[in-house]
């Protein structure tokens, strides 16, 4: 088992990779200090300088945002960069509403099941390595310049560092350890969103603008999840599992009757949607005021999920069979 991030200690002047929003950037450790000034035994925070950026961007960060500067983590940085670039491309046309005739079965899942390129853009490094493991990928790992950062869409949804760390573990489990999230999930996305909705409703006045906005946001997230899961929320290694789930939904097996993708997939994939939302929202025509309201609502939700991660992210990943691995790799 890999060491926990809290156990990792970084030295002054050490070259590292540091999360800034959704991407990893090359940085250098400048200093360290206890996170709690009154407790010298509290976890250390580190002051970092991002390579190629002005000193004004120097920042104190918790260890969860840092990664060792290794070939494996450089590959992770490249992977995240490619995913972000893929999300900036025009979004493929959404599939017809499931109630409309499409000639492909009535299905009630609302997902993009018939696309042979489901989530193609997310995972070019998931296949079996085609070259030496130590081969450098410098062309992929190019540090984003400060000027380029400012030209990116300005939609920012803060994701708790704890969830970011869990997402990195999720990436490693699937793409490196060849493991899968057990499905159907014991805590499916629709249940999580409904639980949050019911809890949050009690804090608002029924019929108020805030009350109606909450309902709209949760319904929108359900729809986004259904339509994005097959396109950008799966790693290539997970496709065979997705196709198996699709077949069971299409065949209306008893245990899947009346269910949708949001009733099958759980928190791991919902968290992947969270980090994809900024780019998805940036492609809409929402006015700045609406974007700000939406960001505030989603920020509350991500914090709520992070506080309950032990409950919603407690199921161990399962090892894929050799037969599955061969299918996933096209052997």
């Amino acid at each position: 088992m890999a060491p926990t991030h809290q156990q990792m200690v970084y030295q002054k002047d050490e070259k590292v990779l540091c999360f800034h929003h959704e991407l990893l950037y090359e940085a250098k450790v400048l200093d360290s200090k206890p996170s709690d000034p009154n407790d010298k035994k509290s976890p250390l925070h580190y002051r970092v300088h991002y390579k190629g950026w002005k000193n004004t961007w120097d920042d104190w960060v918790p260890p969860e945002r840092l990664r060792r500067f290794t070939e494996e983590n450089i590959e992770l940085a490249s992977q995240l960069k490619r995913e972000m670039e893929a999300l900036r491309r025009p979004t493929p046309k959404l599939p017809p509403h499931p109630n409309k005739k499409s000639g492909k079965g009535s299905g009630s899942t609302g997902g993009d099941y018939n696309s042979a390129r489901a989530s193609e853009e997310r995972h070019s490094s998931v296949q079996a390595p085609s070259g030496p493991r130590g081969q450098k990928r410098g062309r992929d790992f190019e540090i984003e310049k400060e000027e380029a950062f400012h030209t990116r869409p300005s939609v920012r949804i803060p994701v708790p560092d704890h969830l970011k760390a869990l997402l990195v573990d999720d990436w490693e489990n699937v793409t490196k350890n060849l493991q899968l999230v057990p499905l159907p999930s014991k805590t499916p996305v629709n249940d999580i969103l409904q639980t949050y909705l019911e809890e949050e409703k009690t804090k608002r006045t029924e019929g108020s603008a805030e009350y109606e906005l909450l309902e709209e946001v949760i319904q929108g997230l359900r729809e986004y999840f259904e339509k994005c899961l097959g396109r950008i929320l799966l790693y290539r290694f997970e496709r065979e599992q997705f196709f198996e789930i699709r077949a069971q939904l299409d065949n209306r097996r008893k245990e899947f009757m009346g269910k949708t993708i949001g009733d099958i997939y759980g928190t791991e994939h919902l968290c992947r949607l969270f980090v994809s939302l900024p780019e998805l929202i940036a492609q809409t025509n929402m006015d700045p005021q609406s974007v700000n309201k939406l960001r505030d609502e989603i920020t509350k939700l991500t914090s709520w999920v992070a506080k309950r991660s032990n409950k919603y992210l407690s199921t161990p990943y399962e090892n894929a069979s050799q037969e599955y691995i061969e299918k996933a790799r096209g052997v």
Side-chain angles (χ1 to χ4, degrees):
M1 180 180 293
T4 62
H5 302 304
Q6 288 81 358
Q7 294 172 326
M8 301 179 73
V9 178
Y10 299 89
Q11 306 300 321
K12 184 178 179 180
D13 295 327
E14 180 177 351
K15 183 190 294 186
V16 295
L17 294 170
C18 183
F19 273 105
H20 185 73
H21 296 298
E22 298 83 16
L23 297 178
L24 275 169
Y25 297 87
E26 183 177 338
K28 182 173 73 171
V29 176
L30 301 178
D31 200 358
S32 63
K33 66 178 182 180
S35 55
D36 183 353
N38 298 319
D39 182 6
K40 294 184 178 180
K41 295 183 179 180
S42 62
L44 292 176
H45 278 198
Y46 299 89
R47 186 168 181 81
V48 298
H49 170 72
Y50 299 99
K51 180 180 178 181
W53 291 52
K54 296 177 182 177
N55 293 342
T56 53
W57 286 94
D58 292 356
D59 194 15
W60 287 99
V61 301
E64 290 85 358
R65 282 178 55 183
L66 297 177
R67 296 292 181 272
R68 298 289 186 190
F69 198 83
T70 63
E71 288 295 327
E72 184 175 14
N73 288 331
I74 290 174
E75 181 180 351
L76 170 59
S78 301
Q79 171 76 6
L80 295 173
K81 182 172 181 287
R82 288 194 298 272
E83 290 175 12
M84 187 61 67
E85 290 172 346
L87 284 170
R88 292 178 195 165
R89 299 170 192 157
T91 304
K93 186 177 180 181
L94 295 177
H97 190 279
N99 291 334
K100 295 182 180 179
K101 293 181 180 179
S102 63
K104 297 178 183 178
S106 58
S108 60
T109 59
D112 178 21
Y113 288 148
N114 298 291
S115 171
R117 289 181 55 81
S119 45
E120 183 75 30
E121 301 295 349
R122 190 175 171 88
H123 344 346
S124 56
S125 71
V126 178
Q127 295 175 318
S130 57
R133 181 170 178 80
Q135 184 176 352
K136 291 188 177 181
R137 306 178 61 180
R139 181 164 300 194
D140 283 338
F141 182 61
E142 295 177 354
I143 300 300
E144 184 178 35
K145 301 301 182 184
E146 185 176 348
E147 295 79 8
F149 175 82
H150 286 300
T151 63
R152 290 173 51 192
S154 59
V155 182
R156 296 291 167 203
I157 298 176
V159 175
D161 291 332
H162 180 52
L163 287 188
K164 287 184 180 180
L166 290 172
L167 281 166
V168 172
D169 292 340
D170 172 55
W171 179 85
E172 292 176 345
N173 287 334
V174 177
T175 67
K176 298 297 181 184
N177 302 336
L178 303 183
Q179 295 178 311
L180 296 167
V181 176
L183 298 176
S185 172
K186 294 180 180 179
T187 54
V189 168
N190 286 343
D191 286 1
I192 294 170
L193 294 178
Q194 187 62 32
T195 299
Y196 174 76
L197 176 63
E198 295 301 326
E199 184 175 317
E200 188 65 20
K201 274 183 175 180
T202 62
K203 304 174 184 177
R204 310 190 187 196
T205 303
E206 186 172 358
S208 66
E210 291 78 10
Y211 190 95
E212 294 178 356
L213 176 61
L214 171 65
E215 292 185 318
E216 291 177 5
V217 168
I218 296 303
Q219 181 58 32
L221 285 173
R222 288 193 182 105
E223 294 178 4
Y224 260 97
F225 188 82
E226 296 283 341
K227 293 176 179 179
C228 289
L229 188 279
R231 288 190 174 89
I232 61 173
L233 303 183
L234 295 176
Y235 293 109
R236 185 184 299 275
F237 187 69
E238 294 174 303
R239 283 191 189 176
E240 284 299 321
Q241 185 187 42
F242 173 75
F243 294 148
E244 292 171 5
I245 293 294
R246 176 190 71 180
Q248 295 182 71
L249 285 167
D250 290 346
N251 292 334
R252 298 188 176 187
R253 292 185 56 174
K254 183 177 180 181
E255 60 269 34
F256 288 91
M257 285 291 289
K259 293 185 180 295
T260 71
I261 280 297
D263 298 314
I264 306 298
Y265 285 80
T267 320
E268 297 84 359
H269 295 84
L270 178 61
C271 289
R272 297 182 198 175
L273 176 63
F274 289 155
V275 297
S276 301
L277 280 174
E279 297 295 334
L280 294 173
I281 295 171
Q283 296 177 30
T284 70
N285 295 321
M286 295 175 64
D287 60 83
Q289 184 178 5
S290 297
V291 169
N292 288 337
K293 290 181 178 179
L294 177 58
R295 182 184 61 230
D296 292 343
E297 290 292 340
I298 296 175
T299 299
K300 291 179 183 177
L301 174 58
T302 57
S303 297
W304 184 88
V305 171
K307 291 176 182 177
R308 293 157 179 79
S309 59
N310 289 337
K311 174 182 178 181
Y312 291 137
L313 289 164
S314 60
T315 304
Y317 288 66
E318 59 186 15
N319 294 319
S321 66
Q322 187 59 40
E323 179 183 4
Y324 180 94
I325 294 173
E326 291 176 357
K327 281 185 179 180
R329 288 177 168 174
V331 177

